[in-house]
Amino acid sequence: MTNATAPAKGGKGLNIAIVIAAVFTVAGIALWVVQLNDGMIQTGMRNLDSWGLYITMFMFFVGLSAGGLIISSIPRAFGMEGFGGISKVAVWTSICATVCAIAFVVVDMGQPLRVWELFVYSNLSSPLMWDIIVLSTYLILSCVYLWATLRAEAGKVSQTALRVISVIALVCAVLVHTVTAWIFGLQQSHEFWHTALLGPWFVSSALVCGTALVIVVVIALRKVGYLELDRRYLIKLAKMLGAFCMVDLYFFGCDLLTAGFPGAEGAKVVEMLVFGPLAPFFWVEVVGTALAAVICFVPSARNNVMLVIASALAIVAIFCKRVQLLVGGFQIANLDLVGVINPHTVTNATGTLAQAYQGMVYWPTMLELGVVIGVFALGALLLLLGLKKLPLKPTEK
C-alpha cells in the first residue's frame, strides 16, 4: 500500500537531516584521523582492558542489524503473513547497522591500512576470522536480499528464488550473532565470558534491540507520512518485542543462577554485576527490559508514544548489557603478575593492581565518544539517503 501524498524524494526536513548527519560524519572522520596520528593512547583502552567502547558498539550494532533482516526474512522463509510491506525499510535498516558495526571494527584498529593482512595471513581456527567471514557474508546477503525484493516486485525474480534467498539470509543472521558471541565465549581466560549460553544470549539480545529499532523507524515513518501501515502490524511487532524481552531475561537469569549459586566459581561475576561498579548498567538492563515487555503485553499501553518508550528502553537495556559484558570481562583480573604498572598498562596507574580494579577498569575518553558519534552519524546518513533515493516504500498490499 503506497502513500500518494508523500513526496517521492522526501521533504525539506529530510534534506536538513541528511546535511546534519553528513556534518557529524565528517567531524567523526576528522577525530579518527587525530586518533590515527597520535595513537591509541588517546583512548581509555590499555593493555589489561584492550577492548573498549568501539568493540562494545560493534557488538551493539551487530545486534541492531538483526531485527530488520529477521523480521523481513522469517515470513517469506516460512510462508507466513508479513508485516504490512515494511520489508524493504527493515532490510535497509539492517544494512545501515551492519555498516556501522564494521566501521567500529575499523576505528578500533591502530593500523586500518593493514586490514588486508587479515585475509593474506588469516588464521581459520580463530573466532575473529570466523566473524570477519560471516559478517562480510551477512552484509552481502542483506544487499542481495534487498535487491532481490525490489526485482521480485518488478516481476524479474520469482517468489521461489526470493524465498530461497530469505532462508539463506535468516541462517546467516543467526550465525553472525552466534559467531560474534564466540569471540568472547571461547576465551577461557576471562571468567565472565566463558559460558555456553553466550551464543543464544547474543541472538536473543539481537532480536530485542533489532526489533525495537524497526518499531521506532516504522513509527517515525508513519508519523511523517512515508508509510501507511495498518496498526495491527505494529501490534504484532510489539508482541514480538515483548516475547524477545522475556526470552532474553530468561537466558540472563539462567546464566546468573549457574554462576552465582552457592559454591559456584562465578560468584565474583554476580557480585560485580549486582553490587559492584557495573551495578548501574545491570539494573538499567534488567528493569528496562522488564518494563519494555510489560508495555508491549498490556493492550492499553500500546499507543505510539509508549511503544517508542518501550523500544528505547529495550535498546538502552541491551546497550547496558554489552557494556557489562565487555568491561566485566576485564574487570576481574586474570593475571597474577602484570609487570610494570604505568599509564600504558592500566587506566588507574596511581597505585597497586588491586587498587586499579577497585573502580571501573575502563572509561572512554572524549575522543572515543566523538568518533562513536561520527559512526552513528554515518549510519543515520545511509538510512536517510536510502529513504530519499531508494524505492523502499511498500508496493504490495
Side-chain angles (χ1 to χ4, degrees):
M1 187 181 301
T2 59
N3 186 352
T5 63
K9 296 297 181 180
K12 182 179 179 181
L14 179 60
N15 294 330
I16 294 174
I18 289 173
V19 172
I20 293 174
V23 170
F24 276 96
T25 301
V26 173
I29 293 174
L31 290 174
W32 179 47
V33 171
V34 172
Q35 175 184 295
L36 290 176
N37 289 334
D38 298 334
M40 298 294 284
I41 192 63
Q42 298 174 100
T43 71
M45 293 178 279
R46 295 296 184 268
N47 288 357
L48 292 184
D49 39 289
S50 53
W51 287 340
L53 184 60
Y54 297 153
I55 298 301
T56 301
M57 299 309 301
F58 160 70
M59 290 190 289
F60 181 61
F61 270 90
V62 166
L64 283 177
S65 69
L69 190 61
I70 290 176
I71 286 173
S72 176
S73 60
I74 282 181
R76 286 199 174 100
F78 294 97
M80 300 159 52
E81 182 187 10
F83 296 93
I86 66 170
S87 174
K88 292 175 289 185
V89 171
V91 175
W92 181 244
T93 302
S94 175
I95 292 172
C96 296
T98 307
V99 170
C100 287
I102 295 173
F104 278 116
V105 174
V106 173
V107 299
D108 187 68
M109 300 176 65
Q111 292 291 339
L113 294 179
R114 294 182 179 176
V115 68
W116 60 273
E117 295 181 5
L118 291 173
F119 302 95
V120 176
Y121 306 110
S122 60
N123 178 11
L124 294 180
S125 64
S126 169
L128 285 170
M129 198 62 210
W130 304 346
D131 200 50
I132 291 171
I133 294 172
V134 174
L135 191 59
S136 302
T137 305
Y138 180 66
L139 178 59
I140 294 171
L141 269 177
S142 298
C143 295
V144 170
Y145 184 55
L146 178 59
W147 171 84
T149 301
L150 296 174
R151 299 291 289 175
E153 289 179 353
K156 303 296 181 63
V157 172
S158 68
Q159 291 299 318
T160 301
L162 186 59
R163 186 172 184 179
V164 170
I165 295 173
S166 67
V167 171
I168 297 173
L170 179 59
V171 172
C172 191
V174 174
L175 278 177
V176 74
H177 300 97
T178 305
V179 174
T180 301
W182 287 343
I183 293 177
F184 301 89
L186 298 182
Q187 295 192 39
Q188 299 180 17
S189 57
H190 294 275
E191 185 176 0
F192 189 18
W193 299 344
H194 196 222
T195 168
L197 267 179
L198 209 57
W201 196 13
F202 262 61
V203 174
S204 67
S205 297
L207 291 171
V208 170
C209 61
T211 305
L213 177 63
V214 171
I215 290 175
V216 172
V217 171
V218 167
I219 290 177
L221 294 181
R222 288 179 79 225
K223 181 69 175 179
V224 299
Y226 189 91
L227 290 176
E228 285 186 358
L229 185 70
D230 194 294
R231 184 159 182 81
R232 65 190 178 93
Y233 295 117
L234 198 56
I235 299 302
K236 287 172 63 177
L237 287 172
K239 290 179 179 178
M240 285 179 59
L241 175 59
F244 293 150
C245 286
M246 297 305 296
V247 171
D248 195 63
L249 285 174
Y250 169 72
F251 282 146
F252 197 19
C254 289
D255 191 61
L256 289 176
L257 178 62
T258 305
F261 196 75
E265 294 182 356
K268 288 184 179 179
V269 172
V270 178
E271 182 181 358
M272 171 190 66
L273 293 178
V274 179
F275 305 109
L278 288 172
F281 296 96
F282 172 83
W283 290 111
V284 168
E285 178 209 344
V286 173
V287 175
T289 307
L291 286 177
V294 170
I295 294 173
C296 291
F297 285 140
V298 175
S300 60
R302 289 195 294 246
N303 56 66
N304 285 354
V305 175
M306 293 303 294
L307 286 181
V308 169
I309 292 175
S311 299
L313 285 171
I315 291 172
V316 170
I318 299 304
F319 173 74
C320 288
K321 173 180 281 189
R322 298 298 186 239
V323 173
Q324 294 172 66
L325 182 69
L326 189 131
V327 179
F330 294 110
Q331 190 73 40
I332 298 177
N334 63 321
L335 295 173
D336 294 329
L337 298 175
V338 33
V340 178
I341 297 180
N342 57 46
H344 294 274
T345 58
V346 293
T347 304
N348 181 9
T350 58
T352 65
L353 180 62
Q355 291 171 334
Y357 279 89
Q358 286 177 353
M360 290 280 281
V361 296
Y362 165 80
W363 193 259
T365 63
M366 294 302 296
L367 177 70
E368 288 174 277
L369 293 173
V371 173
V372 166
I373 292 174
V375 177
F376 266 93
L378 172 63
L381 179 62
L382 291 175
L383 179 62
L384 294 171
L385 287 174
L387 295 175
K388 181 178 178 65
K389 299 294 185 180
L390 297 177
L392 299 180
K393 294 183 181 181
T395 56
E396 71 272 15
K397 293 187 179 180

